Amino acid sequence: MDYKEIIAHYEDCFEKYGDTPKGVDWTKEEQVNSRYQTMLEIANFREKNFLLTDKRSFLDFGCGLSHLYEYIVKNDFSYINYHGLEISEKFYNESKKKFPENEYIIGDILKDSKVLKRKYDYIVMNGVFTEKRDMEYHEMFQYFSKMIEAIYPICGRGVAFNVMSKHVDWELDHLFHVPLDHMANFLTKNITRDFIIRNDYGLYEYTVYLYKFGDK
């Protein structure tokens, strides 16, 4: 389960393309805002009495170059109290340099379960599980499973993440295409039955919202 290869790949993209969407391997720049919006909608999608004046803490898990934070600022989502976490020292240092006022954390939650000292209302993981590179499907699913099992207890209200869909014209070997039934079986047996799968934003992927029971 060599997930460090995935991290090295993204660092190579940053070295090649710099502080751009391609620098975190989003090849179609026009699609990134759809992903950001879908990730952030985890709050008002479920909280029936949610108001934009209600503050919510968001942890951008695998924050990369903090492009999600830039989207938050651009759209004046002032209800979001942003925090970032990175496993890559290169991305961590770049985000700290860009936005020194933000709280950024560096660490590997699979090696240090105490890297996060507090809970966050929502944890969003945009692009963390979309690529598997040279890992076999079962190896990537094992990595994905361990990550979700480690992260879900830390959230106060919910977790959002995306993976590639199996319902595509063709699959790419380096991407993580997860069948819906495999995803649902894993979540219901190991995490929670309280989840939503979103396949409504026009991309060849889907986003999953995991909620804590009772937060409605």
Side-chain angles (χ1 to χ4, degrees):
M1 194 176 68
D2 189 13
Y3 55 91
K4 294 297 178 67
E5 177 193 344
I6 299 174
I7 299 161
H9 166 72
Y10 284 111
E11 290 180 340
D12 288 344
C13 290
F14 176 50
E15 290 295 324
K16 186 174 182 179
Y17 297 108
D19 190 357
T20 66
K22 288 186 177 180
V24 288
D25 207 19
W26 291 129
T27 56
K28 296 182 179 180
E29 297 186 18
E30 66 275 9
Q31 297 179 351
V32 295
N33 287 347
S34 295
R35 293 188 175 97
Y36 298 152
Q37 186 64 33
T38 303
M39 286 285 150
L40 298 178
E41 284 176 351
I42 186 174
N44 54 13
F45 199 84
R46 176 66 178 271
E47 293 188 59
K48 295 179 180 178
N49 298 318
F50 178 78
L51 299 174
L52 291 181
T53 54
D54 295 336
K55 292 289 185 180
R56 294 288 183 264
S57 58
F58 275 68
L59 176 66
D60 186 4
F61 194 105
C63 61
L65 298 166
S66 294
H67 293 159
L68 178 62
Y69 178 68
E70 294 175 6
Y71 181 81
I72 290 168
V73 172
K74 180 180 178 180
N75 289 276
D76 195 25
F77 293 148
S78 57
Y79 67 91
I80 294 176
N81 184 10
Y82 178 91
H83 309 263
L85 179 142
E86 252 304 328
I87 192 173
S88 163
E89 188 172 353
K90 288 184 179 180
F91 286 121
Y92 169 80
N93 289 336
E94 190 66 21
S95 284
K96 284 286 288 184
K97 183 172 68 175
K98 288 172 65 178
F99 304 108
E101 71 278 9
N102 287 345
E103 178 196 50
Y104 289 101
I105 304 161
I106 186 168
D108 183 344
I109 196 170
L110 295 185
K111 291 186 176 180
D112 181 7
S113 61
K114 297 182 180 179
V115 67
L116 295 175
K117 309 297 185 185
R118 51 161 289 189
K119 285 193 174 184
Y120 300 87
D121 290 321
Y122 294 102
I123 300 176
V124 297
M125 310 175 74
N126 183 35
V128 175
F129 305 123
T130 51
E131 298 196 30
K132 65 181 184 67
R133 306 311 302 171
D134 291 333
M135 293 172 66
E136 297 294 332
Y137 177 85
H138 73 275
E139 293 176 315
M140 182 64 190
F141 201 90
Q142 181 185 24
Y143 167 59
F144 158 77
S145 302
K146 289 182 178 298
M147 289 281 278
I148 296 300
E149 288 168 350
I151 291 159
Y152 183 69
I154 300 169
C155 79
R157 294 173 179 268
V159 176
F161 63 86
N162 50 354
V163 296
M164 303 307 296
S165 174
K166 289 285 288 185
H167 301 278
V168 295
D169 297 329
W170 62 83
E171 296 184 23
L172 296 176
D173 289 341
H174 68 281
L175 299 182
F176 188 43
H177 296 269
V178 184
L180 291 170
D181 58 344
H182 195 188
M183 178 64 72
N185 287 338
F186 165 72
L187 295 176
T188 54
K189 291 178 181 178
N190 300 281
I191 308 298
T192 180
R193 302 183 68 88
D194 201 2
F195 63 86
I196 292 171
I197 295 178
R198 289 195 59 182
N199 194 47
D200 64 337
Y201 53 104
L203 303 183
Y204 293 113
E205 63 182 59
Y206 59 89
T207 293
V208 180
Y209 296 160
L210 306 177
Y211 289 102
K212 287 290 180 74
F213 183 77
D215 291 324
K216 299 181 180 179

